[in-house]
Amino acid sequence: MRRWQMLRMTVEQLRRRWIRALAVVAGVLVAVTGFTVLTGSVSTQRAQLNGLVQANSRGAYDLLVRPSGSETALETQRGLVRGNYLSGQYGGITTAQWHQIQQLSGVQVAAPVAMLGYVPIQGTAYVDATAQVDPRLTQQVVKVSNTWVTDRGLTKIPDPGAVYVYVTKNPVVWPQWRDTSNPQDGTEYVYQGRTVSPDTSSCGVSDPSVPVEVLPSGAFTPICAAGGLNEVNARPAAVPTNQYTSSVRTSFSVARLNPDGTFTTDDDFNQLGEIKPTESARLVAPVPWLLSLLVAAIDPQSEDQMVALDHAVTAGSPLTSADKPEVDTTAKVLNSSAQFVSVPLLLSDSGNYDEQLSAAVQTFADQPVVDGAPTSSALSALAKTTATTRTTQSYDANSVYARTVLPSANLDPSYTGVLGNGLETASGLVYLNPRIQSGQTSYSASTSGILSPHADGVADAQKLWPVPGSGLTSVDASAVDNPYAQDYTTRALSEVGNLPSSDDVAGFAVGEYDPAKLRQFSQLSSVALETFQPTTDTGGNTSSTGLLDGRTLGADSNPGGYVATPPQLLTTMAAVPYILDSSDPQQAAPISEVQIRVSGITGVDASSANRLAAVAKEIEDSTGLSVDIVAGSSPTTVTVDLPAGRYGRPALTLSEQWSRKGVAAVLVNVIDDKSMMLFLLVLLVCVLFVADAVAASVRARRTELAILACLGWTGRRLAALILGEAFLLAGAAGLLGAALAKPIGAVTGVHISVLRSLTAIPLALAVAAVAAAVPALRAARSHPGEGLRPHEGSETRRGRAAARRGRGQVRSTRMLAWRWTLRTPGRTAASISALALGIGAVGVLVGIDTAFHASSSGSLLGAAVGVRVRGVDEAAAAITLVLSLLAAADVIYLGAREREAELASLRAAGWTDRDIRSLILWEGAVVAPCAAVLGAILGAAATQLLVHTVPVEVYAALGLLAVLALAITLAACLIPARLAARAPLAQVLVAE
């Protein structure tokens, strides 16, 4: 009977105070619905983020095996694997170690890469000079002055030499090769069907093989400039071959202007074989362009499994382990023990060069000739004469690569081996000995973490480009921007595979492949594939980005440059013993790195992590090599300050992509921790909000509760009454929350399951139980007499005593507001705690968010995850702050209503409505700063406890929240202030 009586009383009380009941229901409804939707959003986001991380946790390989000691201190300190590394790593791992790794349990693929060095190939850019030929002149010279452009147009290297084209209307006879045992009789001249013997001794070389011009007088005049300056083997020994000089860089070609306006030319008259001048409607000046091609050896089967190299072949056949080197046992190299060998090559169809030629076509006002044809001395005099530029044309190294290298690859499957005379076969593409190898780049880090690169070792200035078989050295144009100093960003160069001690190795092409057609992996978790892809260096600041025109800093033909091209030529591991000789330090351990894919890896989970760690440790223990676990890594930006070049390029700040190890595992752990922190904080704010609402309701009904106590109600029944009301309101709010959670989730794009929405009911009851426990206990323990004295509880009496102990009389509204806040310390503490909790909780959320982004930043995967978490973080902060502000506003409102009689007395004593509003606003102004200070302390302390640091963003957020709390608190005070100022004076005094 008592239970039904209590229930009817509870319902009646709620009916009578329906506004207060609705407020409590609304508060609980907002709390539980917000919590349900927010936690659903967090759970959904967590699943999505974990899915994102899992899907992008694996690149082409899982483990990177490098020579012991190759990992730098910088990589160890920052947990990185540096990029732009492989092109400078020559050897360090033995073939036996590679095979040992292959046999280990758990190793699915072990792909070795043996970097071998750079080899030169002579390309040609054909500059169109047709428009600069004056058809009125019988003899004339056209000059092409060249400027080599790299670094996205920032570096411009003037060529000290030039290309001269002698154009004559007179007949020209080019030498023809004649097969004879006497080298001195190797050439002959045939004019109009008969052999002629022009006197070429005046050219000053033993076998100039120069073309001759037939003058109108019938005389055969040699064009000497086309011999000694253009033929490599005819260079005088005194020419400084290791310098970028005019004598080395100047070339000369001859063309006949035919009566019909066409041109007869042949720029290959110094090559062995039959010479056949060709006719063309255009006059082109051949500009030699030396390209450096990087060579690497791979295991084709491993690369096919790892990146599907065989499916990227666009011409010819894939490179296979069955492609074996061919050895010619019948020929010797320069009477040494070396032999002629042909090895298979797979060509990249892209040179990956950032190198251009700017060719200025020039003419002369005076055309000096001697006896109708220019001599070498006449050409030297002409070089000192000012020429007038008529046009400037641009050419690209990649076009030269496509026109020179790729067509040279004769993909004829009928190839059977090399020829016995030591010359390249029909399939021969390029000599692989000797080679140039570049060293590593070292880095020093500034206090801000920016890297400054410098050469690791000193380069040998003599080692530019050896010309096979000649003992002389050619020069790549871009190499002159390398001053070979340790304080400059470059790579030290060395020459290996010198003839005649090394085998004379010629590469023949079996096929071409397109790097873009290799198996693709997520850019968020990509690992360095410098065997196939170039390193990317972009502008690291606005200035550098503008200088690079928004593009990457590319590589050129300089083997000693900072950025290197990926290998353009791939051969098999079986060819390595034939390419390396006994004097090569790489011979004993030819492999530069081994890329390993581990079987049984399913993602970022404990089982996969343990398996990776076990395989890595087994490799380290069995081989002594260095192993990096790169599964779950992600590209991260490293800032590099590149010094200025010598030919116009200013200093650049670059963003270079290195691999940060363990990013995926860190992100998964941080996401889990962050989700748990959000749950706890939002739940705590919900509980305190409801507790404030129930406590305020109890305070408003203290007179009724005191009357019930006087009528014989025990403390237990009074507590049950309070708890019953709280549970009834919470149950209603829980039912509404369960009904609203799913539609709200649908609107906000969050999936809320039926089971999750139903959790709003027990959650609301649990929140009500915790929140109402203290108010119910206080109601049960309070003395009945306290509730019968209006506004004179023990708290009020203590407050009045404290106020009386204050100094002086109340002389202002501010002082009265301060005294009133001291008079009701419980209510004041409630409002301060509500605001402080909101401010502190939001500060903690900012700290958690900042710590999360700090732990996930610096990598592409972390950045992708960070973009997706801010929405939930902001929603959590908003709900937390709104609940705390509503709680504080509710306490302030009830406090003003409780003091209606006192405020009416002040009005009766002559206070104006403005004075009353000012008094209540000043109470809010007292509460808000105290709450801001306390909230800041709580927020900073909790952030330090949870994330072990207090980011500067937390302090900024706390300051902003303090200002916001003050503004909202004052706004919340306006409603009770307005009501108190307008309440009927007589009615309030009579009721009191």
Side-chain angles (χ1 to χ4, degrees):
M1 185 66 182
R2 286 183 177 179
R3 293 180 180 178
W4 284 108
Q5 183 182 9
M6 187 179 298
L7 178 61
R8 285 197 302 271
M9 184 177 293
T10 300
V11 173
E12 179 63 23
Q13 289 294 331
L14 294 178
R15 186 188 66 79
R16 289 176 53 206
R17 297 178 177 270
W18 64 272
I19 296 178
R20 168 54 45 184
L22 278 179
V24 174
V25 170
V28 178
L29 177 62
V30 171
V32 298
T33 306
F35 180 80
T36 302
V37 175
L38 182 62
T39 52
S41 177
V42 171
S43 298
T44 301
Q45 183 196 74
R46 178 179 179 274
Q48 291 174 345
L49 293 180
N50 279 333
L52 173 67
V53 173
Q54 296 285 357
N56 295 278
S57 63
R58 203 173 187 192
Y61 51 91
D62 304 315
L63 304 177
L64 177 63
V65 181
R66 296 187 285 177
S68 179
S70 61
E71 187 178 30
T72 65
L74 181 66
E75 293 175 278
T76 303
Q77 293 167 2
R78 300 189 183 183
L80 302 173
V81 176
R82 69 186 185 272
N84 207 14
Y85 152 82
L86 186 58
S87 57
Q89 179 64 41
Y90 292 91
I93 302 175
T94 66
T95 305
Q97 288 174 319
W98 166 45
H99 290 311
Q100 188 177 3
I101 293 172
Q102 284 181 306
Q103 302 304 316
L104 295 178
S105 175
V107 175
Q108 180 180 2
V109 181
V113 181
M115 302 301 292
L116 300 175
Y118 293 86
V119 294
I121 188 167
Q122 185 68 58
T124 305
Y126 295 93
V127 179
D128 193 332
T130 308
Q132 283 66 51
V133 174
D134 188 346
R136 298 170 298 176
L137 300 178
T138 302
Q139 297 106 351
Q140 56 191 304
V141 175
V142 177
K143 179 182 179 181
V144 179
S145 296
N146 302 309
T147 301
W148 302 94
V149 183
T150 64
D151 299 331
R152 301 304 181 191
L154 300 176
T155 297
K156 298 179 179 179
I157 307 170
D159 199 315
V163 175
Y164 293 89
V165 181
Y166 174 61
V167 184
T168 179
K169 291 183 177 180
N170 297 320
V172 178
V173 182
W174 279 274
Q176 297 181 10
W177 178 258
R178 182 176 58 187
D179 190 8
T180 176
S181 59
N182 185 357
Q184 298 296 326
D185 297 333
T187 58
E188 65 179 3
Y189 295 89
V190 178
Y191 177 63
Q192 294 182 348
R194 60 187 180 90
T195 301
V196 297
S197 301
D199 183 7
T200 60
S201 60
S202 60
C203 292
V205 290
S206 58
D207 185 19
S209 299
V210 297
V212 297
E213 180 178 0
V214 183
L215 299 180
S217 62
F220 292 90
T221 304
I223 308 175
C224 297
L229 288 175
N230 202 40
E231 186 176 359
V232 172
N233 288 330
R235 289 178 183 163
V239 173
T241 57
N242 63 330
Q243 297 180 9
Y244 192 62
T245 62
S246 175
S247 58
V248 173
R249 300 293 300 179
T250 297
S251 62
F252 192 91
S253 62
V254 178
R256 187 200 177 192
L257 177 56
N258 300 315
D260 60 358
T262 62
F263 299 90
T264 302
T265 60
D266 190 346
D267 60 294
D268 293 326
F269 56 85
N270 289 308
Q271 301 296 323
L272 299 178
E274 185 177 7
I275 302 301
K276 292 183 178 179
T278 59
E279 291 188 4
S280 173
R282 312 295 298 177
L283 174 66
V284 293
V287 178
W289 197 325
L290 193 70
L291 297 175
S292 54
L293 277 63
L294 186 55
V295 186
I298 61 170
D299 176 50
Q301 182 178 356
S302 299
E303 297 296 344
D304 291 346
Q305 294 176 356
M306 184 172 293
V307 296
L309 178 59
D310 52 341
H311 289 84
V313 173
T314 57
S317 304
L319 192 64
T320 68
S321 300
D323 294 318
K324 301 295 184 182
E326 296 284 346
V327 179
D328 184 359
T329 59
T330 64
K332 299 296 181 182
V333 178
L334 301 178
N335 298 319
S336 71
S337 59
Q339 55 193 358
F340 287 98
V341 182
S342 287
V343 299
L345 292 177
L346 185 66
L347 278 68
S348 170
D349 67 359
S350 174
N352 281 302
Y353 296 112
D354 171 24
E355 186 171 314
Q356 298 80 37
L357 167 65
S358 178
V361 184
Q362 302 172 321
T363 58
F364 298 92
D366 298 322
Q367 299 286 349
V369 293
V370 178
D371 295 331
T375 61
S376 297
S377 58
L379 181 61
S380 299
L382 192 65
K384 300 177 182 179
T385 304
T386 301
T388 302
T389 300
R390 302 299 182 183
T391 184
T392 301
Q393 303 171 25
S394 296
Y395 301 87
D396 187 77
N398 292 312
S399 299
V400 174
Y401 176 87
R403 187 170 57 248
T404 301
V405 179
L406 298 183
S408 300
N410 185 355
L411 305 178
D412 184 0
S414 63
Y415 169 75
T416 57
V418 298
L419 300 176
N421 59 6
L423 301 177
E424 295 170 309
T425 68
S427 315
L429 172 66
V430 64
Y431 284 107
L432 302 184
N433 274 326
R435 304 178 310 283
I436 295 293
Q437 293 184 347
S438 58
Q440 289 287 358
T441 298
S442 296
Y443 298 91
S444 57
S446 66
T447 55
S448 60
I450 298 177
L451 305 184
S452 296
H454 53 84
D456 188 4
V458 180
D460 184 351
Q462 301 293 325
K463 309 302 183 185
L464 290 177
W465 266 137
V467 178
S470 69
L472 300 177
T473 304
S474 179
V475 183
D476 171 48
S478 59
V480 301
D481 198 24
N482 184 342
Y484 304 104
Q486 285 184 300
D487 60 349
Y488 183 80
T489 306
T490 186
R491 301 170 183 266
L493 302 180
S494 59
E495 182 181 351
V496 295
N498 295 311
L499 300 175
S501 59
S502 299
D503 288 338
D504 195 352
V505 182
F508 67 93
V510 298
E512 300 170 9
Y513 77 97
D514 182 359
K517 293 186 177 181
L518 296 171
R519 180 178 297 145
Q520 299 299 306
F521 300 88
S522 170
Q523 293 299 313
L524 302 181
S525 58
S526 62
V527 289
L529 276 175
E530 295 181 49
T531 318
F532 307 105
Q533 299 169 352
T535 301
T536 57
D537 288 79
T538 58
N541 54 29
T542 304
S543 174
S544 297
T545 301
L547 289 170
L548 293 173
D549 196 22
R551 297 176 292 175
T552 61
L553 180 67
D556 51 38
S557 290
N558 180 11
Y562 177 66
V563 180
T565 63
Q568 294 97 344
L569 307 177
L570 299 177
T571 188
T572 63
M573 292 299 299
V576 171
Y578 297 92
I579 299 174
L580 305 180
D581 59 45
S582 58
S583 64
D584 196 321
Q586 189 179 349
Q587 187 188 51
I591 300 173
S592 303
E593 68 178 25
V594 181
Q595 301 165 356
I596 295 176
R597 197 164 180 86
V598 179
S599 60
I601 303 302
T602 58
V604 186
D605 53 73
S607 175
S608 297
N610 293 336
R611 187 171 182 81
L612 287 170
V615 174
K617 188 175 188 306
E618 189 173 5
I619 294 174
E620 289 179 338
D621 293 342
S622 60
T623 64
L625 299 172
S626 175
V627 182
D628 292 299
I629 300 178
V630 296
S633 65
S634 180
T636 186
T637 298
V638 175
T639 303
V640 178
D641 277 345
L642 191 67
R646 302 174 69 191
Y647 292 91
R649 177 179 57 75
L652 295 174
T653 297
L654 302 175
S655 291
E656 191 168 293
Q657 296 296 316
W658 293 16
S659 293
R660 183 180 295 278
K661 297 183 288 186
V663 171
V666 170
L667 287 175
V668 169
N669 294 333
V670 171
I671 291 170
D672 291 343
D673 295 344
K674 180 172 172 292
S675 300
M676 182 59 66
M677 289 179 184
L678 285 175
F679 289 158
L680 295 177
L681 281 175
V682 175
L683 183 59
L684 177 61
V685 173
C686 291
V687 170
L688 292 178
F689 171 79
V690 177
D692 278 341
V694 175
S697 178
V698 171
R699 288 197 304 272
R701 297 174 53 201
R702 64 169 186 255
T703 302
E704 298 174 15
L705 295 174
I707 293 174
L708 291 175
C710 292
L711 292 176
W713 282 50
T714 64
R716 179 177 298 180
R717 289 188 67 190
L718 292 175
L721 179 64
I722 299 300
L723 289 174
E725 291 183 16
F727 278 126
L728 188 61
L729 295 175
L735 289 172
L736 286 174
L740 293 175
K742 199 171 182 65
I744 293 175
V747 172
T748 57
V750 178
H751 174 69
I752 305 293
S753 64
V754 175
L755 182 61
R756 180 177 292 277
S757 63
L758 290 176
T759 59
I761 300 174
L763 177 64
L765 296 176
V767 168
V770 175
V774 173
L777 185 61
R778 292 186 61 185
R781 292 181 177 180
S782 62
H783 191 279
E786 292 183 356
L788 295 176
R789 296 176 60 189
H791 312 294
E792 288 291 329
S794 60
E795 177 186 288
T796 306
R797 291 196 300 273
R798 288 193 300 269
R800 286 187 178 225
R804 284 195 296 270
R805 291 194 295 269
R807 296 180 181 178
Q809 298 180 351
V810 175
R811 299 181 182 275
S812 66
T813 306
R814 286 177 295 175
M815 185 175 293
L816 181 60
W818 175 255
R819 294 291 178 84
W820 274 13
T821 56
L822 291 179
R823 201 179 74 181
T824 55
R827 186 172 65 241
T828 302
S831 58
I832 289 177
S833 63
L835 275 177
L837 179 64
I839 294 173
V842 174
V844 172
L845 288 175
V846 172
I848 294 171
D849 183 73
T850 303
F852 171 79
H853 287 282
S855 63
S856 63
S857 64
S859 67
L860 296 183
L861 182 57
V865 169
V867 169
R868 301 192 180 190
V869 301
R870 292 199 178 274
V872 174
D873 294 345
E874 292 168 357
I879 290 177
T880 302
L881 189 60
V882 167
L883 289 176
S884 63
L885 289 173
L886 287 176
D890 189 49
V891 173
I892 293 172
Y893 172 77
L894 289 177
R897 295 300 300 268
E898 289 174 2
R899 296 198 308 272
E900 281 184 341
E902 298 178 56
L903 295 173
S905 300
L906 291 175
R907 291 171 61 198
W911 282 47
T912 64
D913 293 350
R914 180 178 180 181
D915 294 332
I916 298 299
R917 288 194 297 267
S918 178
L919 176 63
I920 296 177
L921 288 174
W922 274 114
E923 285 191 65
V926 170
V927 168
C930 297
V933 173
L934 180 60
I937 295 174
L938 290 176
T943 302
Q944 179 66 42
L945 180 65
L946 293 173
V947 300
H948 310 297
T949 185
V950 184
V952 67
E953 290 85 353
V954 172
Y955 295 110
L958 291 174
L960 180 61
L961 289 170
V963 176
L964 181 63
L966 177 60
I968 295 179
T969 302
L970 293 177
C973 292
L974 290 175
I975 296 176
R978 191 177 186 85
L979 292 175
R982 293 185 176 184
L985 183 61
Q987 181 179 343
V988 173
L989 291 176
V990 169
E992 184 63 19

